Amino acid sequence: DLQMVMACIKNDYQVIAATNGREALELLQTTKAEVVLLDVTMPDMSGYEVCSKIRETNTHIQIIFLSANDGLNEILKGYDVGGNDYITKPFSPEILLNKISKSICNRSWASSNVPAMSSFAPVPPKANFTLICCFLLLSASNTRFERIASSVEYKLVIGSSS
């Protein structure tokens, strides 16, 4: 799953990887991110807990859950803890990119206090945005992820159990 996510976003965003929730929260202290992609199932704290902690200090960052947990209660919990969107696996790369793009627009409108005039409003240039991805990874995958992340132009932080 991580390779699929990276294949979708690596040409459009710089990716900052976190392998667990605590690392994602630490990255958010030093990195200005527009979007956080979170898996629900992680070892030290769930994606729901990470989302709740983010919301204690940041209400504007866009949080998208990307998870295999596809039950109605799981999805609703993602929204209840402050998530802006919830994508279930397997997912379409086009859907992921569209939801990231829409999240960036939503964040831009929320930060500017200007109401969205249309769902077809132009998306700001991607180069201006940072995304954080938090997924649980195997050691070999971590090494590969870091190499990929250091080669892209924009920032994204992601987290997952897959």
Side-chain angles (χ1 to χ4, degrees), residues 76-111:
L76 292 175
K77 185 173 182 180
Y79 291 111
D80 288 345
V81 297
N84 299 96
D85 212 335
Y86 196 110
I87 303 170
T88 58
K89 299 175 192 175
F91 63 91
S92 157
E94 295 82 11
I95 296 292
L96 177 62
L97 287 172
N98 184 278
K99 289 187 179 261
I100 290 171
S101 179
K102 293 291 185 191
S103 290
I104 289 170
C105 285
N106 289 343
R107 185 188 194 290
S108 297
W109 290 322
S111 297

Side-chain angles (χ1 to χ4, degrees), residues 113-133:
N113 294 321
V114 175
M117 299 304 291
S118 165
S119 61
F120 301 104
V123 176
K126 294 175 181 173
N128 298 333
F129 303 103
T130 302
L131 301 142
I132 295 180
C133 301

